[in-house]
Amino acid sequence: QVQLQQSGPGLVKPSETLSLTCSVSGVSMSSYYWTWIRQPPGKGLEWIGYTHHTGATHYNPSLESRVTISLDTSKNQFSLTLYSVTSADTAVYYCATGSDSGYYKWWGQGTLVTVSS
Amino acid sequence: QFVLTQPPSVSGAPGQRVTISCTGNSSNIGTYYGVHWYQQLPGTAPKLLIYGNNIRPSGVPDRFSGSKSGTSASLAITGLQAEDEADYYCQCYDSSVSRYLFGTGTTVTVL
């Protein structure tokens, strides 16, 4: 079955860079859009952006200047990089995928990233 | 702002029917873009319940149904069960802000 397994640090210092990886099994990365979504503690979901095997990317305009989502099909992984983080970036980060129509059938387990010195 | 508006909470007794509304505008729900719904149990990742306005993925009980009309969408849960206690989110693409939006979220309580 399809599995998305997230990895990365749970603590990042302010002004530094947040990096998370999502390892994919059970589905070809030549399909679908590979997406990151976050959820601040006690709050709702926020779409961060996606990448596609064609090289296409699309980011939330509110984060676009600080975010990169990349795909490594040779490793069956995709990654999130968020630069210059602040406490407002503290959230549970999810990787997700599952369609070409903007909905998400499969999700990673979530990673709580806390921005604090 | 750039959100889809949902009621903060709804509740019902076991066996009852509850509905959750999701209100948008002519740049998101009011377009041809599909509305999708997710269920999130405490401490877990969201689970896809409905996609493309009214399509249930395999394995989702037919107690869950979705609909869309104009600039609003709804999720209905019939035969409410204790295991349905969770947060529910709608989702749709917004062409004016070029991003996917999630609803504000609704907590369902089974009395």
Side-chain angles (χ1 to χ4, degrees):
Chain A
Q1 76 271 25
V2 178
Q3 289 192 324
L4 277 63
Q5 181 68 39
Q6 298 178 217
S7 58
L11 181 64
V12 181
K13 289 183 168 55
S15 79
E16 297 193 344
T17 299
L18 180 160
S19 296
L20 295 173
T21 297
C22 186
S23 298
V24 179
S25 60
V27 64
S28 169
M29 298 202 78
S30 297
S31 303
Y32 308 135
Y33 291 86
W34 302 91
T35 301
W36 287 93
I37 292 160
R38 70 181 183 179
Q39 185 172 34
K43 297 188 177 181
L45 300 164
E46 180 181 31
W47 181 81
I48 298 173
Y50 69 64
T51 187
H52 190 260
H53 75 94
T54 57
T57 56
H58 186 28
Y59 300 130
N60 186 327
S62 70
L63 297 170
E64 189 164 19
S65 62
R66 299 193 293 129
V67 69
T68 300
I69 298 175
S70 59
L71 195 67
D72 187 339
T73 55
S74 67
K75 294 182 179 179
N76 278 359
Q77 293 177 340
F78 67 110
S79 299
L80 169 70
T81 305
L82 184 64
Y83 305 95
S84 304
V85 298
T86 70
S87 58
D89 296 311
T90 292
V92 176
Y93 286 76
Y94 294 102
C95 59
T97 191
S99 78
D100 293 326
S101 303
Y103 59 88
Y104 312 109
K105 286 191 292 188
W106 302 301
W107 295 68
Q109 78 274 23
T111 301
L112 173 60
V113 179
T114 302
V115 178
S116 175
S117 54
Chain B
Q1 259 289 7
F2 309 127
V3 293
L4 304 175
T5 303
Q6 299 178 229
S9 62
V10 299
S11 60
Q16 284 190 330
R17 179 180 187 267
V18 297
T19 61
I20 301 169
S21 60
C22 175
T23 302
N25 58 37
S26 58
S27 297
N28 43 64
I29 296 178
T31 66
Y32 63 88
Y33 299 117
V35 178
H36 321 302
W37 290 90
Y38 301 87
Q39 176 193 62
Q40 186 177 31
L41 298 171
T44 69
K47 171 190 172 183
L48 180 67
L49 275 185
I50 298 287
Y51 66 93
N53 302 326
N54 56 16
I55 304 170
R56 277 188 314 277
S58 173
V60 173
D62 59 7
R63 303 186 294 104
F64 295 93
S65 62
S67 64
K68 173 178 146 176
S69 178
T71 58
S72 293
S74 291
L75 175 73
I77 311 173
T78 57
L80 196 63
Q81 299 181 3
E83 65 203 52
D84 300 332
E85 280 206 340
D87 293 330
Y88 293 81
Y89 293 92
C90 58
Q91 180 214 347
C92 187
Y93 186 74
D94 188 299
S95 58
S96 69
V97 294
S98 297
R99 66 186 180 194
Y100 287 94
L101 298 178
F102 285 94
T104 48
T106 299
T107 299
V108 169
T109 302
V110 181
L111 301 172

